[in-house]
Amino acid sequence: MGTLLGHLVPGLAIYFVGLYYAVTVSQALLRGQKLLFLPLPPRNKQGQRWWPRVRVEGIVKMAAGVTLILGEFFPPGTNRFALMDWEDPRRPFQNHSSWQHATIFGFFLFSALVDLTSQVWLAQQSMKLERAATALALLVTLLEMIAHLEHKNALEIRVHALLLLPVFLLALVFIIEVWVPGQPPLWVLKAWLTLWSGSWMLQMTSILYAPLSGQPWRADSPSDLAFVTTFFCWHLGLGAVVLAAIYGLCSLCHHRRSSWVGFPAAKYQPCPIGDRSGELEDDTAVSWDPQCVLLSQKPCSLSPNKPASS
């Protein structure tokens, strides 16, 4: 990861997931959904094709995880897989940076495998398990990033330390969602923090390897270090602007699509679930209809002129 591509690829992956969250959150808010991602039907009611059930988030984590782990251990012309120098009597550890990065990517790959297992192979999808696996990957990222700050110059320490803030908050959001799903403020916060983390990773790539000014940033310059924090705050605002813009575009498309439908009331209306939105994830409480999710054992239907009923 200590290269331009090593920072660019995870930055693009994180930012892409942030955009995906932003679009999904905007659509969920406009439709009045009780959950950000509606649970999949039981396995015995699913079709033969499994790939439409896997969310984009899991695919990105898996592809990026495999690519980055291989690139970390086996960059062109070298092999960094060795953990110890067995020829030295002291048996010193080596390639510690590669093993730190690979550990981070490995836990995100594990999170992707948990997503795949939950969405494809389990009899009933477990969203709590998926969120817990992602929270674990983020917590491992925090621990490894703290250790990664050792033996770095002041500039590298500053840019990596600032990344810890959005990663910590993002881990906290996922942990809260394990027990308290269906909270729109947390959806918005998760999308915003992911966009913030991704854009800052891309800025880190520019600062450390490809400065836009053509002159390298100086670790011994107080003014350069001061502007690192300033740019970090700008990315905070940039994430909010991007999220607001995506919501505005989704709102425009949503209202335009509604105007094309002949019946004003014929729009997405989730089944009323009151204060029991968390029960949608209970395997014993869910029954399925092609058009909506409900909590009772009775079929649910949508009509253009009247709201959904259970």
Side-chain angles (χ1 to χ4, degrees):
M1 188 176 173
T3 62
L4 187 147
L5 287 178
H7 285 76
L8 182 63
V9 172
L12 289 174
I14 295 171
Y15 200 75
F16 181 80
V17 173
L19 293 175
Y20 169 68
Y21 280 156
V23 173
T24 305
V25 168
S26 300
Q27 292 176 342
L29 293 176
L30 292 168
R31 294 169 178 173
Q33 293 177 198
K34 297 295 183 180
L35 292 173
L36 179 58
F37 297 103
L38 296 180
L40 295 169
R43 186 178 178 185
N44 57 3
K45 294 187 179 181
Q46 298 175 357
Q48 297 297 324
R49 295 180 298 177
W50 60 270
W51 53 89
R53 304 195 294 270
V54 181
R55 293 205 304 263
V56 173
E57 175 187 3
I59 297 174
V60 172
K61 286 190 293 186
M62 180 170 294
V66 172
T67 302
L68 290 168
I69 289 175
L70 292 177
E72 196 64 50
F73 283 138
F74 307 105
T78 59
N79 181 354
R80 299 176 183 170
F81 192 74
L83 181 61
M84 290 184 180
D85 184 359
W86 294 101
E87 297 180 357
D88 190 327
R90 296 174 298 174
R91 301 292 188 269
F93 289 105
Q94 56 185 7
N95 301 318
H96 56 87
S97 293
S98 295
W99 280 98
Q100 288 172 346
H101 296 151
T103 300
I104 294 173
F105 304 144
F107 271 89
F108 277 104
L109 179 59
F110 169 75
S111 174
L113 293 175
V114 170
D115 291 350
L116 185 65
T117 301
S118 172
Q119 296 162 17
V120 176
W121 287 300
L122 291 185
Q124 179 63 54
Q125 180 187 12
S126 176
M127 291 187 176
K128 291 183 178 180
L129 183 62
E130 296 174 23
R131 298 189 191 106
T134 304
L136 175 62
L138 290 168
L139 291 175
V140 169
T141 301
L142 281 174
L143 294 175
E144 290 291 357
M145 287 292 290
I146 292 173
H148 191 63
L149 296 179
E150 299 178 358
H151 308 296
K152 302 291 185 182
N153 61 44
L155 180 64
E156 291 177 305
I157 291 175
R158 179 67 61 89
V159 297
H160 285 86
L162 290 173
L163 182 62
L164 295 177
L165 177 59
V167 172
F168 169 74
L169 294 176
L170 198 54
L172 189 61
V173 169
F174 274 97
I175 291 172
I176 294 174
E177 282 195 322
V178 172
W179 289 280
V180 189
Q183 299 296 319
L186 291 181
W187 305 348
V188 176
L189 185 59
K190 179 165 62 176
W192 175 53
L193 290 173
T194 308
L195 288 170
W196 185 14
S197 303
S199 64
W200 181 243
M201 277 289 296
L202 296 175
Q203 180 70 60
M204 286 172 57
T205 304
S206 173
I207 291 175
L208 297 177
Y209 302 101
L212 298 179
S213 65
Q215 295 295 324
W217 288 62
R218 295 166 296 173
D220 58 348
S221 172
S223 61
D224 284 12
L225 293 178
F227 266 101
V228 168
T229 305
T230 300
F231 286 161
F232 180 73
C233 294
W234 289 357
H235 281 274
L236 187 154
L238 176 64
V241 170
V242 171
L243 183 58
I246 290 176
Y247 180 83
L249 291 174
C250 289
S251 177
L252 181 63
C253 294
H254 177 77
H255 292 301
R256 180 170 297 181
R257 187 183 302 113
S258 300
S259 65
W260 289 344
V261 180
F263 301 96
K267 60 181 181 179
Y268 177 91
Q269 294 180 348
C271 293
I273 57 179
D275 295 330
R276 301 188 299 165
S277 60
E279 295 184 14
L280 279 174
E281 300 180 17
D282 187 350
D283 297 347
T284 62
V286 177
S287 59
W288 288 88
D289 182 84
Q291 297 189 22
C292 65
V293 182
L294 65 160
L295 293 173
S296 67
Q297 298 297 326
K298 299 179 182 180
C300 179
S301 61
L302 291 176
S303 171
N305 296 320
K306 54 184 178 181
S309 60
S310 57

